[in-house]
Amino acid sequence: VNNIVLVGFMGSGKTTVGERLAERMGRRFIDLDQEIARDAGRSIAEIFAQEGETGFRERETRGLEQVLKEDGAVIAAGGGAPLRDSNWRDIRERGCVVALTAEPAELARRLNGSHGRPLLRPDPRSAIGSLLPSRMSRYLEADLVVPTDGKAPAQVAAEIESQLPAASIERIPVAVPGAAHDAVVGTRLSGLVASHLRRLNPSGPALIVSDAVVAASHAAALTDAIEAIGLAVRLHLVPAGEAAKELAVLAGIYDSLGSAGVDRDGALLALGGGTVGDVAGFAAATWLRGIRYVQMPTTLLAMVDSSIGGKTAINLAAGKNLAGAVHQPTAVFCDLNYLATLPDDDYQASLAEVIKTALIADAAFVAWLATNLPPLLRREPGVLRDAVSRSIAIKADIVTRDPQERGERALLNYGHTVGHALERAAGFGALRHGVAVAWGMEVAARISVLTGACAPEVVARQSSLLRAAGLLTAAPSVDRADLLRAMRHDKKSRSGQLRWVLLRDAGRAVYGQQVEPAVVDAALSEVLGI
Ligand SMILES: NC(=O)c1ccc[n+]([C@@H]2O[C@H](COP(=O)([O-])OP(=O)(O)OC[C@H]3O[C@@H](n4cnc5c(N)ncnc54)[C@H](O)[C@@H]3O)[C@@H](O)[C@H]2O)c1
Ligand SMILES: [Zn+2]
């Protein structure tokens, strides 16, 4: 959904700025109050006089519903419209929300002598004093907050356009108890990130943690956007790839947090793939026992998987991800433009996680993938946006029901028992994670059929999806004994017993399943030829 909805106090300039913004962007402009008046055949003042504020608010909610049905419009919502929670939900669901603000004195000056605004009685100054504080907290929840003091409407419109995403955004709630936040999927999201950061109101400079590869292409636009709204920011680079998740690298981030003076009200941004997200997230989880942080994933894997759910970790000599914490970000921003610079092999391998997500939880998504994999492979923007959004929504739901991984969250490990073991047995780095997971899914699916949990046709559908994504090309050559040893090593095994995630149907899986070793053996030899 692609509407731009302007909110703000009376006198903040919603209508004048909205008209100019619509003109600049070649979009239709709609003024909610004008629509309400036209629909009622009376002025707003008359509606207030005859029906009271209650009557007006009812009309406002109905009018809002109507105008939000538009797609691609610039809409000026009335100053009070965002206050009703259901209105606010609708506005956020159907568009990108821009709040215009101005100092009370400036508002009073602009509103002086204005007629036809019933809420300004007895006079603008006292109305501003009584209404503005409570409304302001709602306005500040907008995606973009743009101060208008001392600026001409055309200038405000230009600023808004420069900070808006390039196209429509998807907003996916991650409703984890006590740490609910949104994942936003779209393109050119730096302006939104900057506004989010301002809302966090960090006490000092925000620290961006990134790696040199990612930072070379993507850090400048982000720091520019943050500095453009008057916030201070520092960049801390970590090594690219798995080398980022080392204790010494974590210590380096602590040093930067310390020298930047980041205190308990500070904030950190993780800009990178899963490795950056994991180490930066762990730094945020532990610095002063936890500060706020934002995930800005730049790989497909990080967008659909690692940035969602709050798991953070570093590697130790004894194994991967051994020291970690669950610490939810305040927001996740998935800027799909970042994926343009991602190498094909990385992108393709991560499609295994997308297919996995569909298979464990969403039959409709499985069907959608069956027709949309070719354009997804070509990274067609709309298809990519839908695939990322749907994957995030599924993971977010599972994580919301089981934030601490006590049960259901294990479903996300479908294909990972054998996948992780293949990575380990082949020597870390030899096999891409997604490639290994794809083979792991094939083994798990085969076990599902052998144990009667699922029909063979389901496995065929899975295989054809994975093949369409360019996966399952050459079976990895690993030694069977090494693989079995690596599987026993899997930290998900409970008291030495391996537990499996098995498929029941395309879109449904079960976790915590015990499987006879003979069945595992049969599946391994059928799928991997070992
Ligand atoms: N926390 C979780 O829940 C969770 C879940 C799954 C995986 N993980 C972790 O995620 C890590 C893997 O993440 P990954 O696959 O994103 O790898 P990664 O972070 O190592 O990134 C892969 C490579 O791509 C480069 N890169 C990143 N974004 C790029 C871009 N937009 N353009 C060009 N190059 C880019 C990086 O510099 C790196 O060299 C593993 O350490 C894994 O343990 C964590
Ligand atoms: Zn994975």
Side-chain angles (χ1 to χ4, degrees), residues 301 305 353 356 412-414 416 420 423 433-434 437:
L301 177 117
D305 193 354
E353 304 281 6
K356 170 204 80 178
L412 295 160
N413 288 322
Y414 176 60
H416 282 59
H420 281 148
E423 284 182 278
H433 177 69
V437 167

Side-chain angles (χ1 to χ4, degrees), residues 1-2 71 165-172 183-187 189 300 303-304 334-337 339 347 354 365 368 372 375-376 378-393:
V1 210
N2 207 4
D71 200 2
S168 65
I169 55 166
E170 294 288 327
R171 213 191 293 275
I172 303 129
V184 175
V185 179
T187 48
L189 301 180
L300 181 60
M303 289 185 188
V304 300
C334 300
D335 193 326
L336 300 169
N337 278 349
L339 298 181
Y347 177 81
V354 174
F365 190 21
W368 183 89
N372 286 289
L376 183 57
R378 293 192 299 271
R379 312 187 201 189
E380 270 180 25
V383 174
L384 182 54
R385 190 196 56 218
D386 289 350
V388 169
S389 305
R390 292 179 86 146
S391 303
I392 290 176

Side-chain angles (χ1 to χ4, degrees), residues 206-278:
L207 191 73
I208 299 178
V209 177
S210 189
D211 72 39
V213 178
V214 175
S217 322
H218 306 299
L222 183 62
T223 46
D224 286 354
I226 294 171
E227 284 170 349
I229 63 166
L231 293 175
V233 64
R234 303 237 184 126
L235 183 62
H236 176 96
L237 294 183
V238 299
E242 207 60 29
K245 291 172 62 171
E246 294 289 322
L247 205 47
V249 174
L250 177 67
I253 301 176
Y254 291 147
D255 286 343
S256 279
L257 287 165
S259 64
V262 175
D263 65 15
R264 292 177 66 173
D265 297 316
L268 183 155
L269 279 108
L271 174 71
T275 55
V276 170
D278 274 10

Side-chain angles (χ1 to χ4, degrees), residues 398 402 405-414 494 499-504 508-514:
I398 294 175
D402 181 18
E405 199 168 25
R406 305 253 183 265
E408 185 185 352
R409 194 163 170 171
L411 286 174
L412 295 160
N413 288 322
Y414 176 60
R494 302 251 185 285
R499 300 291 165 134
W500 292 83
V501 182
L502 298 180
L503 220 48
R504 278 280 163 80
R508 199 156 62 89
V510 286
Y511 62 92
Q513 305 295 300
Q514 276 177 274

Side-chain angles (χ1 to χ4, degrees), residues 75-404:
I75 299 165
L83 300 186
R84 202 178 259 195
D85 288 337
S86 57
N87 288 356
W88 185 242
R89 257 197 316 275
D90 292 348
I91 289 174
R92 281 169 49 86
E93 217 161 80
R94 301 285 306 167
C96 197
V97 193
V98 181
L100 302 182
T101 65
E103 292 300 324
E106 169 91 6
L107 290 174
R109 197 180 55 69
R110 291 184 196 165
L111 290 169
N112 205 10
S114 86
H115 297 288
R117 296 185 192 260
L119 289 173
L120 283 183
R121 292 193 197 112
D123 65 280
R125 198 168 293 275
S126 51
I128 291 167
S130 61
L131 293 176
L132 186 60
S134 60
R135 292 188 173 193
M136 205 54 192
S137 56
R138 177 50 53 87
Y139 299 152
L140 292 179
E141 289 174 45
D143 294 302
L144 288 179
V145 178
V146 181
T148 62
D149 302 87
K151 294 176 196 161
Q155 187 189 346
V156 178
E159 263 180 46
I160 295 172
E161 194 185 6
S162 75
Q163 294 177 32
L164 277 172
S168 65
I169 55 166
E170 294 288 327
R171 213 191 293 275
I172 303 129
V174 186
V176 191
H181 57 278
D182 283 337
V184 175
V185 179
T187 48
R188 210 179 69 189
L189 301 180
S190 298
L192 265 49
V193 176
S195 262
H196 176 76
L197 202 58
R198 181 161 52 198
R199 197 164 30 248
L200 295 183
N201 191 21
S203 48
L207 191 73
I208 299 178
V209 177
S210 189
D211 72 39
V213 178
V214 175
S217 322
H218 306 299
L222 183 62
T223 46
D224 286 354
I226 294 171
E227 284 170 349
I229 63 166
L231 293 175
V233 64
R234 303 237 184 126
L235 183 62
H236 176 96
L237 294 183
V238 299
E242 207 60 29
K245 291 172 62 171
E246 294 289 322
L247 205 47
V249 174
L250 177 67
I253 301 176
Y254 291 147
D255 286 343
S256 279
L257 287 165
S259 64
V262 175
D263 65 15
R264 292 177 66 173
D265 297 316
L268 183 155
L269 279 108
L271 174 71
T275 55
V276 170
D278 274 10
V279 69
F282 189 55
T286 47
W287 180 248
L288 304 173
R289 297 190 192 82
I291 58 168
R292 296 160 305 167
Y293 77 116
V294 176
Q295 285 281 18
M296 299 189 61
T298 62
T299 64
L300 181 60
L301 177 117
M303 289 185 188
V304 300
D305 193 354
S306 62
S307 68
I308 308 296
K311 277 214 262 175
T312 71
I314 57 165
N315 304 328
L316 301 176
K320 267 194 71 160
N321 296 329
L322 282 184
V326 176
H327 184 54
Q328 300 294 340
T330 58
V332 182
F333 290 95
C334 300
D335 193 326
L336 300 169
N337 278 349
Y338 291 158
L339 298 181
T341 53
L342 195 66
D344 278 339
D345 288 348
D346 279 322
Y347 177 81
Q348 235 171 305
S350 303
L351 290 175
E353 304 281 6
V354 174
I355 297 167
K356 170 204 80 178
T357 308
L359 278 162
I360 59 172
D362 189 342
F365 190 21
V366 174
W368 183 89
L369 282 171
T371 46
N372 286 289
L373 259 172
L376 183 57
L377 208 50
R378 293 192 299 271
R379 312 187 201 189
E380 270 180 25
V383 174
L384 182 54
R385 190 196 56 218
D386 289 350
V388 169
S389 305
R390 292 179 86 146
S391 303
I392 290 176
I394 292 168
K395 179 158 186 188
D397 268 357
I398 294 175
V399 165
T400 297
R401 289 192 293 267
D402 181 18
Q404 298 293 330

